[in-house]
Amino acid sequence: MKRPILIHPDPRLKQVAAPVPDLSDGLRTLAEDMLETMYDAPGIGLAAPQLGIGTRLIVLDCVKEEGEAPRPLVMFNPEVVAASDETSVYEEGCLSIPDQYGEVTRPAEVTVRWLDRDGNEQTETMDGLWATCVQHEIDHLDGKLFIDYLKPLRRQMITRKMVKLKRERARG
């Protein structure tokens, strides 16, 4: 089931999400809903706080090549356990900040540990778009948005645009 995505500014986007103590069918259903919502948006990543749910759960799929099989990842309690000194710069966007982009510098490669939907611990080293996306989504779990990496003036400009967008949507 598709769910509505919160738009910045919303105080729930700035809260730190709580760890998942143990996996339930409800959380697995939430993960499926998040994948459906992400693909529909369309996006390559989504964090539970973007749906107003303060749980450490993210989904991502950075496969963008035509004809290549999708690779949806569901990560409960994801954490970066190692990061490269080398950095990369990507122009990031966010489903909670529609049509706004900014260049963000992050570690070029990260090793991430998480629980999969069956409760098994997984570890993977990611680079390129996958590394950027997983770090972006984990930031959401810590109440951080990509615009927090931008200069204050640019961040304020984007926030004003989002306030205006929310007003327009509320009017219908």
Side-chain angles (χ1 to χ4, degrees), residues 56-74:
R56 295 190 81 78
L57 165 60
I58 63 173
V59 298
L60 52 149
D61 185 348
C62 298
V63 173
K64 296 177 91 172
E65 296 299 314
E66 195 64 41
E68 199 175 324
R71 185 178 174 235
L73 283 180
V74 172

Side-chain angles (χ1 to χ4, degrees), residues 64-156:
K64 296 177 91 172
E65 296 299 314
E66 195 64 41
E68 199 175 324
R71 185 178 174 235
L73 283 180
V74 172
M75 299 181 165
F76 293 95
N77 298 333
E79 59 178 327
V80 173
V81 293
S84 65
D85 291 334
E86 183 188 339
T87 59
S88 64
V89 178
Y90 268 92
E91 186 172 66
E92 294 187 23
C94 180
L95 296 176
S96 291
I97 309 173
D99 303 319
Q100 301 299 312
Y101 303 91
E103 288 192 345
V104 178
T105 303
R106 299 182 184 273
E109 187 177 279
V110 290
T111 301
V112 182
R113 182 172 53 221
W114 73 94
L115 295 178
D116 66 18
R117 59 181 100 201
D118 298 319
N120 299 314
E121 187 175 288
Q122 302 289 333
T123 304
E124 185 175 328
T125 299
M126 300 176 172
D127 61 9
L129 185 58
W130 286 92
T132 296
C133 184
V134 77
Q135 291 174 83
H136 174 113
E137 298 309 329
I138 290 171
D139 273 354
H140 275 297
L141 303 181
D142 296 326
K144 192 166 187 171
L145 302 172
F146 87 89
I147 60 172
D148 295 334
Y149 292 94
L150 306 179
K151 289 187 168 65
L153 199 61
R154 176 98 173 101
R155 190 168 53 240
Q156 290 166 354

Side-chain angles (χ1 to χ4, degrees), residues 5 35-45 61 64 94-95 101:
I5 297 171
L35 282 168
E36 186 179 338
T37 302
M38 176 192 78
Y39 285 128
D40 181 69
I44 59 169
D61 185 348
K64 296 177 91 172
C94 180
L95 296 176
Y101 303 91

